[in-house]
Amino acid sequence: MTDRAQHAISIRNLKKTYANGYEALKGVDLDVAEGDFFALLGPNGAGKSTIIGIISTLVRLTSGDIQIFGKDVATHVYEAKLSLGVVPQEVNFSQFEKVGDIVRTQAGYYGLSPKLARERTEKYLKKLDLWDKRDNRARMLSGGMKRRLMIARALVHEPKLLILDEPTAGVDIELRRSMWDFLQEINRNGTTIILTTHYLEEAEHLCRNIAIINHGEIIENTSMRSLLSKLQQQTLIFDCINEVSAAPQFDDKQIQSTWIDAHTFEVTMPASHDINALFAALTDQGVRVKGMRNKSNRLEELFLSRLQHGRESQAQTESVSEEQKRLNKKEGADV
Amino acid sequence: MFNSHIFIAFQTILVKEVRRFTRIWLQTLVPPAITIGLYFLIFGNLIGRRIGEMGGYNYIDFIVPGLIMMAVIQNAYANVSSSFFSNKFQRCIEEILVSPVPNYVILLGFVAGGMARGLMVGMIVTIMSFIFTDLHIEHIGLTLLVVLLTAMVFALAGFINALFANTFDDISIIPTFVLTPLIYLGGVFYSVELLPEFGQWISALNPVLYMINTFRYGILGSSDVNVWWALGMLFLFSGILFTTAIVLLRRGTGLRH
């Protein structure tokens, strides 16, 4: 067994150039370990959906290769696809079919016997709270129900790898939380999950490892813990018991505070700083703290900083290459 | 994929297709029955009585095989082209494409669905024809073989049309501008012997003429064309269209970016 075969998915030098010349992927290498809960993040148009499209064979690759549990998607297509379940970003089932028929039909495509297909349909529709809707036409479902239906459909053949492309987009908070619980449960039961999402809080809450893609290239691929440890600043919001007329002052110039209202203020400080010292300073100033929370999404901050860093590097590279071209042209002119 | 899995996948596509056209039976089964019924009544019964005989048979008896075949051709084609294109349009074709169903099973499933609708409409029209005439089938085996092959040829053609189609207009252009003229000029209502020599020569290039006449031979025992030649052509068309569809599926034409 090679190293790559030990991964749920292993991607090497994946490139995709569309017919209009747009280079969506510029040589992506990515390994996701079996059993992992993995986040693939990136801004719109970064290449996330292209990667998922190529994995699920809906998009043809230009070059490179993909293995799912050691099976090459191009040469061992059937074995590779049996291990894979995909929940796409947009609804892609017939709106005129009944909910139960959609899931049962998908089971049939994977060769499940009618009896097993019925059992699995019942199992997953119940798990996703859709069993009482089984005889309803799919177009009658709400947006959140449609998303859950696509998850039930992707799970009906019980794949070892589940890829979810923004599964909670447009889903209310309560439902999103219940979907998180469900996804964590199936991950605990051994299903490897790859998740793309715009809700960075979701990635931070669910995923153990993360890759950030931008302009068709992986610009960060690490564990969530290691990524979050790179965070340099944090902003904390304090709720007070007593009234505060102004923002507390601190001797340490690295700590900035802002008054919000009579019972609330926020403090921005280096992530490495000792919070006990902060509390001591607040106590000295007579501030009695009732509660404290993080203001912003930590991952969001890192994500934006990585993208900004990527943009600056690209601009620098482009500027160097322009300068090089100019010099080359000049040399050519001299000759 | 194991053989049993392949059979289940094929059965799943076929059942889904049959479920689709029977669910919307008012759009798929009733209109052709009404149209062909009107042909029986107006051309066969009212005008046909004044025409007298055609090719040695009562006019109504002469046109019944052609009208049955017309219903089969139009419905086998329309079912696959509209269903497969709707699947593309709604993107639910992705359900099949991400699964391990082989290309040939996808093709056979949709084609079988189209044949099922063509044959079901053909059956309805045949039963309706009993109201107007006593239909006696001369060669039952040949009749069934020809109707099956013809349904398959046009279901395959409908599939290829749907692969290339980008809009709903694209799936109505071929039936309107190609299929309908070929059927009407394919000897449904007349014997080609009535045409001048040049007209007969042009008609000989129309493949539908061979299908209708071979079917008519199966029912009445008389044909304008060589039946064996026509059967050979049907097999050839089936083979060419099947191979073309498989090559297009493998390339991902109209399906994969």
Side-chain angles (χ1 to χ4, degrees), chain A residues 89-109:
Chain A
Q89 201 176 113
E90 286 171 33
V91 169
N92 70 344
F93 48 72
S94 170
Q95 303 275 345
F96 306 105
E97 292 271 325
K98 289 179 184 171
V99 169
D101 288 341
I102 288 171
V103 181
R104 244 188 327 270
T105 299
Q106 191 69 14
Y109 296 151

Side-chain angles (χ1 to χ4, degrees), chain A residues 47-115:
Chain A
K48 306 183 297 290
S49 295
T50 300
I51 292 181
I52 293 174
I54 294 174
I55 294 170
S56 55
T57 73
L58 295 173
V59 177
R60 293 186 169 276
L61 53 80
T62 303
S63 64
D65 74 90
I66 297 174
Q67 290 185 4
I68 298 176
F69 293 100
K71 303 290 180 189
D72 194 298
V73 173
T75 55
H76 292 79
V77 61
Y78 302 124
E79 294 93 329
K81 282 182 169 184
L82 277 176
S83 308
L84 177 68
V86 180
V87 180
Q89 201 176 113
E90 286 171 33
V91 169
N92 70 344
F93 48 72
S94 170
Q95 303 275 345
F96 306 105
E97 292 271 325
K98 289 179 184 171
V99 169
D101 288 341
I102 288 171
V103 181
R104 244 188 327 270
T105 299
Q106 191 69 14
Y109 296 151
Y110 286 84
L112 270 65
S113 70
K115 182 174 177 286

